[in-house]
Amino acid sequence: EAGVVQSPRYKIIEKKQPVAFWCNPISGHNTLYWYRQNLGQGPELLIRYENEEAVDDSQLPKDRFSAERLKGVDSTLKIQPAELGDSAVYLCASSSLGGREGLEQFFGPGTRLTVL
Amino acid sequence: AQTVTQSQPEMSVQEAETVTLSCTYDTSENNYYLFWYKQPPSRQMILVIRQEAYKQQNATENRFSVNFQKAAKSFSLKISDSQLGDTAMYFCAFMKHAGSGSEKLVFGKGTKLTVNP
């Protein structure tokens, strides 16, 4: 079974440029998460989707970040414009919805963003 | 808000020996879950073990076991018979209970474990 797929794996951009990250969750997983992991820190949630609905986006900096999950499958996270402080690893995770199965989140390999 | 604290930024252990990683947390919730995740240098986060707060029995997964002290809000990970492949960052994480079983993970800062040959 394929795991969570993310692309690109690495991205280097100049500040003020836009950037987008893509995530394909495990087939059948209703819940999708975007986390940001700063250097030397644990991941922090940016946004959580249940199917197409963003149910927790309280930590998403909405002035420059946006996300979408069309048809409740793939998701895209966008930053426009990027700032130096956005340099981090962006992790996507997915889980099934319901009961104990929903407790385990499966993570993708992440996208390492460097803003120059 | 919940917080998770890992007080050991780095640890090392000799191959085949036992090591314990510490984690404390703060929450006002009564029902929740605790996890240890492993992040090898390749970066993909993998679940190691989980504990339901309502269960008194400590979870065990092969060489990995936890010491869960609910009153003390402590959740340590013991790795027995350490192997070179255990070298990784280890993150302790908290999830509050929700009916759907789907909630965000709150992570600590991690402990970098090195297993030496």
Side-chain angles (χ1 to χ4, degrees):
Chain A
E1 179 183 295
V4 176
V5 179
Q6 290 188 248
S7 68
R9 291 293 306 275
Y10 303 90
K11 189 73 176 179
I12 301 173
I13 60 171
E14 302 266 336
K15 64 180 180 182
K16 299 185 182 180
Q17 293 300 306
V19 65
F21 315 123
W22 176 79
C23 173
N24 180 241
I26 291 173
S27 178
H29 279 190
N30 308 84
T31 308
L32 184 145
Y33 313 76
W34 283 103
Y35 290 88
R36 178 168 62 185
Q37 186 175 17
N38 292 315
L39 187 64
Q41 304 290 318
E44 294 181 323
L45 183 77
L46 290 172
I47 190 168
R48 173 169 65 96
Y49 283 93
E50 288 185 5
N51 299 308
E52 304 86 5
E53 183 183 0
V55 296
D56 184 355
D57 64 356
S58 57
Q59 301 302 308
L60 189 74
K62 297 181 184 62
D63 56 336
R64 296 183 301 106
F65 285 65
S66 65
E68 61 182 11
R69 191 183 184 198
L70 300 176
K71 300 181 181 180
V73 181
D74 294 2
S75 177
T76 303
L77 178 69
K78 297 178 181 177
I79 308 174
Q80 183 170 10
E83 296 179 353
L84 295 177
D86 295 331
S87 295
V89 175
Y90 291 82
L91 295 169
C92 180
S94 69
S95 66
S96 59
L97 188 65
R100 297 186 78 252
E101 286 187 11
L103 294 176
E104 182 171 358
Q105 295 181 21
F106 294 82
F107 285 80
T111 297
R112 182 181 295 279
L113 174 66
T114 302
V115 182
L116 303 176
Chain B
Q2 293 79 28
T3 59
V4 176
T5 302
Q6 293 179 249
S7 58
Q8 305 152 315
E10 292 190 41
M11 293 194 72
S12 62
V13 64
Q14 291 300 121
E15 197 175 4
E17 295 192 345
T18 296
V19 64
T20 299
L21 308 183
S22 301
C23 172
T24 58
Y25 60 94
D26 189 24
T27 184
S28 58
E29 303 281 338
N30 191 47
N31 292 328
Y32 51 87
Y33 308 95
L34 295 164
F35 304 82
W36 280 97
Y37 274 85
K38 169 184 177 182
Q39 190 177 42
S42 67
R43 218 165 61 226
Q44 198 137 2
M45 197 89 72
I46 304 166
L47 177 65
V48 174
I49 195 166
R50 72 175 174 219
Q51 174 81 41
E52 284 100 312
Y54 63 85
K55 289 187 177 180
Q56 291 187 339
Q57 186 172 8
N58 289 323
T60 299
E61 289 286 342
N62 301 313
R63 299 183 294 109
F64 299 88
S65 61
V66 298
N67 183 2
F68 173 48
Q69 302 289 328
K70 190 173 184 179
K73 295 181 180 175
S74 171
F75 183 61
S76 61
L77 174 70
K78 185 171 82 171
I79 306 174
S80 304
D81 185 25
S82 297
Q83 300 176 358
L84 297 178
D86 295 333
T87 293
M89 285 290 292
Y90 286 82
F91 291 95
C92 178
F94 173 101
M95 179 194 289
K96 69 178 184 181
H97 174 76
S100 67
S102 162
E103 275 289 341
K104 71 176 181 183
L105 290 165
V106 177
F107 287 89
K109 290 186 176 182
T111 296
K112 183 179 180 181
L113 176 68
T114 301
V115 180
N116 299 307

